[in-house]
Amino acid sequence: MLALSCMVAYAAPASDTFYLLEPNLKAGLQSIIEIELKVGGDLLVRENTPLELGADSSVQKIPAVEKLPMSVVANLRYEEQMLAWSAKDVSRSLRYYETAQATFKVGEENLKRTMPDSQRLVLTEIRDSLVTMNGLNTPLTRNQVDLLHVVGDTLVLDRLLPGQRLAEGENWNHDAETIGALLGMDRVADCEVSSVIAGEAQGQVRILLAGSVHGSIDGAATELDLRGEYLFDQAQKRISRFNLAIKEHRKTGPVTPGLDIVANLTLKVTPTQTLSHLSNKPIGLTKNLAVPINHELLYYSPQNGIRFRHDDHWYITAESRKQLALRRLQGSTLVAHCNITTLPARSTGRQTTLEQFEREIRQALGDRLDEVSAAKEWRTTTGHHCLGIFVNGKTKKVPLQWRFYLIATDDMPRVSLTVTIEQAQLDEFADADRRLVDSLQLTGKQVTETASKAIKRK
């Protein structure tokens, strides 16, 4: 595995031997991919970060940053069948993850994650320089996507190659789109990364990579220094080995903590003629490249008694026995907060009416309320009864809109869902809460809190 100090500028003179570094990853190509990722450093967490939109930053102290020692060890092994590959356009593959596990340590706490057997079949694509993956039959959770989506994705990897003949000692610069996709970045502001041919042995061209890149990941500004080494198999016409060392400093962001880490990745590609888990899968259904794969994610909590689907702009930022907090990030802009609270069940004939719900909201908001802009009730697509109240108002002179929902069915725990949006962000938000509400399923759990108390905390 590479250390950050192991690479120096390579200055060998160009030789008379040229290598055609042009990948050829045809549809139907089958491979076994093995990945090990090790991360060590500090997690940077801001204390007392305000959770409400519209907070007046001019009167708040800048929250202190707490450093927590952290480490990650992740191991992935998957079968991959290429469905389509392009150096510039949409690429897509079908994967079966035989192994997908990670151990996280933050401070004194340890957490292990692994993929359930039912979710190991995954469709992956790169489109517009963004890698997306999801279950072939059912959506993945964000935690599952985070486990699988590591740097060096094999749909992106061979885009590092220049597609031309070069001699030993010659180099080329990498474009921001490729490096951003390779590292899982959502924006690249500055990219100075290049590769150079360092030699050849036994049909494998040895290539060194180095440079730095600035941009953002999950809306948080980040700086990364890269040192890598990879092999191009001239017979297979693809990268067969990839080692990458990353030194990253990421600021705390609107939905994620900061990082001050060193990460080391090793990746091995082994061609194969037989894939034991993919041979009988309906891959013909996945070849329509004009239609993007499903970006929806699944949230399910037996503890809170709820299940719903959401797009990948919603991030879960806090989770407890009775409440779930989400934030919506579009680009690097935080556009909304959402709190979901599990409430006690009510029997037939005792459900809250729309008038009662509005009265509770007016009482809870008090002087912050300017007007009720909408009040209605309906049946969601999951068959639950839903009350919806939209309220315009202000907090510390910032115009806000609160959207209160109460989702219920007889003799099962109910759910209060509250969304807070700055009125200036309403067009950008574009009713992104409706998918949460309409897909939410009550799965059953008894709690002992009233709806009015939940509203008063908003």
Side-chain angles (χ1 to χ4, degrees), residues 23 204 355 369 425:
Q204 303 273 351
E355 292 75 17
L369 185 149
Q425 298 287 352

Side-chain angles (χ1 to χ4, degrees), residues 84 99 118 127 153 163 166 168 206 229 301 305 409 429 436 458:
T99 302
S118 61
R127 182 184 299 269
D153 191 277
L166 295 174
E168 182 177 346
R206 178 170 171 256
E229 178 179 346
S301 172
T409 194
F429 183 67
L436 300 179
K458 304 300 185 288

Side-chain angles (χ1 to χ4, degrees), residues 435-450:
R435 184 56 178 156
L436 300 179
V437 173
D438 285 339
S439 69
L440 193 142
Q441 292 177 283
L442 303 175
T443 61
K445 180 175 175 61
Q446 295 296 325
V447 295
T448 59
E449 185 176 26
T450 66

Side-chain angles (χ1 to χ4, degrees), residues 398-449:
V398 177
L400 302 176
Q401 183 174 97
W402 291 278
R403 299 183 174 188
F404 295 93
Y405 301 93
L406 184 61
I407 302 169
T409 194
D410 292 337
D411 300 315
M412 288 188 67
R414 301 165 298 153
V415 161
S416 165
L417 189 150
T418 305
V419 181
T420 307
I421 318 148
E422 288 192 16
Q423 291 184 28
Q425 298 287 352
L426 284 173
D427 289 342
E428 184 77 11
F429 183 67
D431 293 331
D433 50 340
R434 285 304 297 267
R435 184 56 178 156
L436 300 179
V437 173
D438 285 339
S439 69
L440 193 142
Q441 292 177 283
L442 303 175
T443 61
K445 180 175 175 61
Q446 295 296 325
V447 295
T448 59
E449 185 176 26

Side-chain angles (χ1 to χ4, degrees), residues 20-81:
L20 177 58
L21 302 181
E22 184 174 42
N24 184 18
L25 281 66
K26 295 181 179 179
L29 181 67
Q30 300 181 146
S31 311
I32 303 293
I33 313 298
E34 297 170 273
I35 297 174
E36 181 182 62
L37 176 66
K38 293 184 176 180
V39 182
D42 292 319
L43 195 71
L44 310 178
V45 181
R46 290 198 183 277
E47 300 174 349
N48 301 320
T49 302
L51 295 180
E52 286 193 38
L53 287 171
D56 187 352
S57 60
S58 64
V59 298
Q60 293 186 12
K61 294 181 180 180
I62 297 175
V65 175
E66 180 183 5
K67 288 188 176 183
L68 298 175
M70 61 86 71
S71 64
V72 180
V73 177
N75 291 280
L76 305 175
R77 176 186 167 90
Y78 57 89
E79 298 180 351
E80 181 170 54
Q81 184 164 34

Side-chain angles (χ1 to χ4, degrees), residues 93 98 175 178 238 249 302 335 348:
S93 71
E98 296 178 341
D175 59 84
T178 297
R238 69 179 302 183
H249 179 72
V335 298
T348 303

